[in-house]
């Protein structure tokens, strides 16, 4: 018997059409949260939802929910992700999961299939956290992990207030945050890493997600002449920034296992070739699947920074930007995903997500899990981000099977 399929051409066409909004050179997308491009992307999404007969609701943090009624008035099965991107993003990160959700709805509509439970396709606000922090903000507010007013009062990197920007683009909705408590949440996403492609895996059943620790260190030294100041008398904020970057990498390599660490941003002042920096700002991203290990690595970093400040006669202020504990997804839901993929004959493995996703926030309020498909060369957050159409279709078809199974549960 021919297996059901959402259809590759329609799925790719929808992804391509949405990627044209905020398109940048090289095939990528710049659709940063609550910008004009994000508004245009939201408008297109809402229009598509309504064309499919979904009832569209927007909550006070701007999360978008398209609801397809079920035969019973029960908690819905929810899928989706986000449509905002980083400044030099790809066309699949987040967007794929939302578009695939729409294609599942289209498939059901075309066949006149009514599910027992309602289905919801969601697009959460500010998942990337580029302009406003923390990331995964919309789903975090939805799950009750961040007060709405605190989120609305967040000031972005450009000085704009989130609530004002939400109103400006027309997406300050009226629905109370957290109004929809799903029966289950399933997020379909590209892997954003190289493991699946390297191992020939077609579907990843994501069973856990790394904890994330973002910190910012501001180093205050003394600006001075690069040629006349002896090395022993310097209070060099630039050197301290470099020392932190080196220590963070060595710490992750020494720890091994799932530990990763990144210094992604360094800002020097006055940033002149012949002037010792008076000030430096350094970001540090630490991630691990084990909470105890993550805490220990944080303590080691804090001890190093304290010692560095004393040795170099500088002041180092620490600001925590984001802190999320590791998440273990619902075991039964992971098995449902695994079985659906294996039934279709796909090479499948259980996986850990190294990136943060809306599913980790939704896991606070309902059973949640994720479906991964491969990323070519493991590249993401980059215009070269690519997933082959056949892989996109496999993921969407597995999503179809999983949503249908969950939607028929009593």
């Amino acid at each position: 018997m021919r297996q059901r399929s959402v259809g590759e051409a329609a799925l790719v066409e929808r992804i391509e059409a949405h990627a044209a909004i905020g398109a940048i050179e090289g095939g990528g997308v710049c659709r940063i949260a609550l910008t004009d491009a994000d508004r245009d992307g939201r408008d297109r999404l809402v229009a598509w939802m309504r064309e499919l007969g979904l009832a569209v609701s927007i909550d006070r943090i701007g999360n978008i929910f398209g609801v397809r009624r079920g035969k019973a008035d029960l908690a819905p099965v929810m899928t989706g992700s986000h449509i905002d991107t980083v400044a030099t993003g790809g066309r699949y990160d987040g967007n794929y999961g939302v578009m695939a959700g729409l294609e599942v709805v289209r498939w059901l509509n075309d066949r006149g299939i009514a599910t027992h439970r309602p289905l919801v396709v969601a697009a959460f606000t500010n998942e990337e956290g580029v302009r406003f922090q923390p990331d995964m903000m919309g789903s975090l507010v939805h799950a009750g992990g961040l007060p709405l007013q605190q989120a609305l009062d967040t000031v972005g990197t450009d000085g704009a207030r989130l609530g004002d920007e939400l109103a400006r683009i027309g997406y300050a909705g009226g629905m109370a945050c957290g109004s929809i408590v799903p029966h289950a949440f399933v997020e379909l996403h590209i892997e954003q890493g190289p493991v699946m492609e390297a191992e020939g895996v077609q579907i990843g059943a994501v069973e856990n997600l790394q904890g994330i620790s973002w910190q910012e260190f501001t180093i205050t030294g003394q600006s001075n002449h690069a040629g006349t100041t002896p090395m022993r008398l310097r209070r060099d904020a630039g050197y301290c920034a470099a020392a932190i970057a080196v220590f963070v990498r060595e710490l992750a390599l020494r720890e091994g296992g799932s530990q990763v660490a990144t210094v992604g941003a360094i800002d020097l002042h006055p940033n002149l070739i012949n002037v010792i920096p008076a000030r430096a700002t350094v970001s540090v991203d630490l991630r691990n699947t084990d909470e105890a290990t993550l805490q220990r690595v944080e303590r080691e970093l804090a001890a190093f920074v304290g010692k560095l400040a004393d040795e170099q006669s500088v002041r180092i202020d620490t600001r925590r930007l984001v802190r999320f504990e590791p998440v273990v997804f619902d075991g039964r839901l992971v098995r449902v995903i695994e079985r659906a993929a294996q039934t279709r004959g796909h090479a499948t493995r259980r996986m850990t997500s190294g990136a943060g996703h809306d599913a980790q926030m939704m896991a606070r309020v309902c059973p949640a899990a994720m479906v991964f498909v491969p990323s070519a060369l493991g590249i993401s957050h980059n215009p070269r981000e690519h997933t082959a159409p056949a892989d996109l279709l496999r993921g969407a078809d597995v999503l179809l099977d999983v949503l249908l199974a969950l939607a028929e549960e009593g």
Side-chain angles (χ1 to χ4, degrees):
M1 186 178 74
R2 185 173 180 271
Q3 288 183 315
R4 56 197 176 203
S5 177
V6 300
E8 180 181 302
L11 174 61
V12 171
E13 181 181 348
R14 201 182 288 276
I15 292 170
E16 295 293 321
H18 206 262
I21 302 171
I24 59 175
E25 187 177 353
V29 182
C30 178
R31 202 164 49 230
I32 294 172
L34 309 189
T35 59
D36 290 351
D38 185 31
R39 176 200 60 212
D40 294 345
R42 287 164 173 265
D43 288 348
R44 175 71 62 84
L45 173 61
V46 168
W48 279 341
M49 285 179 166
R50 288 180 173 147
E51 287 174 7
L52 291 168
L54 300 180
V56 177
S57 297
I58 301 166
D59 70 10
R60 292 172 187 163
I61 196 63
N63 296 325
I64 300 170
F65 303 99
V67 182
R68 186 178 192 266
R69 293 177 60 183
K71 290 184 284 189
D73 186 21
L74 296 170
V77 175
M78 184 182 290
T79 191
S81 191
H82 62 98
I83 64 169
D84 66 309
T85 73
V86 297
T88 54
R91 57 185 55 200
Y92 305 102
D93 177 6
N95 197 50
Y96 166 49
V98 179
M99 299 304 123
L102 295 183
E103 284 306 302
V104 168
V105 170
R106 182 191 58 79
W107 188 91
L108 293 170
N109 289 352
D110 287 350
R111 288 153 184 78
I113 296 173
T115 55
H116 184 59
R117 289 179 179 273
L119 292 177
V120 178
V121 179
F124 291 104
T125 295
N126 188 40
E127 193 273 350
E128 293 291 2
V130 173
R131 188 182 180 198
F132 302 98
Q133 293 179 349
D135 51 352
M136 285 85 73
M137 181 184 283
S139 52
L140 182 61
V141 172
H142 179 91
L146 180 67
L148 172 63
Q149 194 58 51
Q150 183 178 334
L152 294 175
D153 288 337
T154 300
V155 176
T157 55
D158 56 357
R161 178 179 173 273
L162 185 143
D164 295 337
E165 288 297 273
L166 203 54
R168 182 186 69 82
I169 68 169
Y171 280 88
M175 187 174 77
C177 296
S179 295
I180 302 175
V181 180
H183 173 65
F185 178 79
V186 182
E187 183 172 4
L188 174 62
H189 210 280
I190 60 170
E191 181 196 0
Q192 299 181 278
V195 174
M196 295 180 68
E197 184 179 64
E199 297 185 1
V201 175
Q202 295 169 316
I203 295 292
V206 184
E207 60 182 350
N208 58 8
L209 187 146
Q210 290 184 324
I212 301 174
S213 170
W214 285 3
Q215 298 177 73
E216 181 182 82
F217 298 99
T218 300
I219 307 155
T220 305
Q222 183 177 57
S223 184
N224 219 326
H225 196 290
T228 63
T229 310
M231 299 301 289
R232 71 182 185 279
L233 299 179
R234 297 185 178 210
R235 298 172 59 209
D236 188 343
Y239 163 74
C240 294
I244 290 172
V246 171
F247 176 81
V248 161
R249 181 174 178 82
E250 291 177 344
L251 176 62
L253 292 172
R254 183 173 73 248
E255 186 62 42
S258 66
Q259 182 65 53
V260 292
T262 305
V263 170
I266 298 178
D267 180 66
L268 302 180
H269 179 82
N271 201 33
L272 299 171
I273 191 169
N274 61 347
V275 179
I276 298 167
R279 188 173 65 252
T281 304
V282 185
S283 71
V284 175
D285 178 325
L286 302 172
R287 306 191 190 205
N288 202 298
T289 54
D290 180 72
E291 175 64 16
T293 303
L294 186 57
Q295 289 185 19
R296 177 165 48 77
V297 168
E298 288 174 315
R299 289 194 298 269
E300 287 191 45
L301 176 59
F304 173 81
V305 167
K307 181 180 178 183
L308 181 68
D310 290 341
E311 290 177 346
Q312 300 301 317
S313 299
V314 298
R315 173 180 164 185
I316 303 182
D317 296 309
T318 304
R319 182 164 72 101
R320 173 164 283 182
L321 303 176
V322 170
R323 183 58 164 87
F324 298 126
E325 293 186 3
V327 172
V328 177
F329 288 126
D330 183 78
R332 185 186 77 89
L333 196 47
V334 172
R335 290 191 295 274
V336 171
I337 293 168
E338 200 171 42
R339 284 197 299 270
Q342 291 171 348
T343 298
R344 285 184 175 267
H346 301 326
T348 308
R349 70 164 276 178
R350 294 197 175 195
M351 300 192 67
T352 293
S353 172
H357 296 288
D358 292 309
Q360 79 187 84
M361 303 309 170
M362 294 303 294
R364 300 180 180 208
V365 296
C366 69
M370 299 186 68
V371 181
F372 272 177
V373 295
S375 294
L377 302 177
I379 294 172
S380 186
H381 283 190
N382 183 317
R384 292 173 56 211
E385 177 182 277
H386 180 71
T387 295
D391 288 321
L392 296 173
L393 180 61
R394 287 189 192 97
D397 286 344
V398 169
L399 180 68
L400 169 65
D401 293 348
V402 171
L403 294 181
L404 279 174
L406 295 173
E408 294 308 313
E409 294 179 343

